[in-house]
Amino acid sequence: MSDAQEIKKIVIARLETLHPDKKISIGSSGEFSRDELIERVKLGDSVGKKIVQIELEFLRSLKKGMLS
Amino acid sequence: MSRRLLITRPEHDDTTHYLSSWSKKIISFAESKGVRVFDLNRRRANKKEVDGLLSKQKPGLVIFNGHGSDNLVSGHGNEPLIIAGDNEELLSGKITYAISCKSAKKLGPRSIDVGAKAYIGYDDDFIFFYDPNKITHPLKDKTAKLFLEPSNELITSLVKGNTVEESYNRSKKYFKNNFKKLLSSETTEEETSMARYLWWDMIHQVCLGSKKSIF
C-alpha cells in the first residue's frame, strides 16, 4: 500500500468516529454528513484533500505538543 | 454620535442560515448597548446596499457573515460584496470581522494597506458542525454553539469596548476552552472527534492591523 493510500485509510478511520447524523459546514464547499466526507476522501477531490490536510495538521500538532 | 455597526446576514443555504441566526444574538446585544445596527438580511445583503451604507453611514464595526475566498467576501446568493482590488477601500477607518472562509488571506491585508483599522477573519476555511434536526431552531443547536459562540465572543467583546487584541484573545480562549471540553473524559467519542475542527478554526482565525483599535 502506498503512503497516500495509507494516509487515506487512517483519515477514514478517524472520520468514522464522527456522529453519523451531524453535518459539517466547510464554507463555500458546502455541507456534508460523515459518510459523504468519507466518500470525498476516497474520491480524493478538493473536499477530500482538505479533510486529509486538517487531519494531518492536527496529528502533527499533537506530536509537537502544540495543543497543551 | 452613537456607535454604528453594519452586519450582513445572507440566508441561502444551511451555512448562511446558521450564521445569520446566531448573529441575532449579536444584534440584540449591540442594540442593548446603544449601538445603531444596520442589519442587511437576506436579499438586502447585496453589493449595492453594502457600498451605500459603508460610504454614507460610516459604521465603525463591520461584520460579514457568508461565504468567501482569498480575495472576497460574499452576500446573499454568493454575490461578491467586497473584492480585493475593487472596493476594499470601503473598509478604510473601520474594524471588520469576516465570518467566512479564507478572506483574511488576501482581502484582509489589502484592506489594511488602504487604511482599515483592523481586519479579523480566517485565512483558511471556517468550519462548524451542526445538527440537521435543529435546522428550524439553530439557536437551540448545542453542537453549532461550540463553534459559533467563540466567534460571537469576538464581536460581543468589541461592542463592550475592549480593544481588537483583547477581543481576539477572548475569542481564541473561548475556542480553546470548548476544545478542551470536547477532549474531557465526560464527552462521547463522537463529541471528542469534533475537537480537531474547533482547533482548526482557532489556529486559522487571524487578526490584522491595529490591535489597539476600539469600536
Side-chain angles (χ1 to χ4, degrees), chain B residues 1-10 20 23-24 26-32 34-42 44-46 48-65 81 94 97 155 159 215:
Chain B
M1 193 170 76
S2 64
R3 293 185 297 165
R4 296 172 182 200
L5 183 160
L6 169 69
I7 185 164
T8 63
R9 294 191 300 124
S20 173
S23 292
K24 287 177 189 168
I26 296 299
I27 293 170
S28 303
F29 179 71
E31 287 175 340
S32 76
V35 174
R36 187 171 174 198
V37 178
F38 298 94
D39 177 19
L40 298 183
N41 188 210
R42 297 185 181 175
R44 288 196 69 206
N46 64 61
K48 192 180 170 193
E49 292 250 17
V50 169
D51 276 14
L53 282 169
L54 287 175
S55 308
K56 289 173 194 152
Q57 299 296 338
K58 303 194 186 310
L61 179 58
V62 183
I63 313 294
F64 292 112
N65 287 292
L81 301 177
K94 302 169 178 71
Y97 178 38
I155 307 165
V159 169
F215 168 46

Side-chain angles (χ1 to χ4, degrees), chain B residues 94-106:
Chain B
K94 302 169 178 71
I95 298 169
T96 297
Y97 178 38
I99 308 143
S100 67
C101 296
K102 299 178 185 171
S103 73
K105 216 168 182 174
K106 287 183 184 167

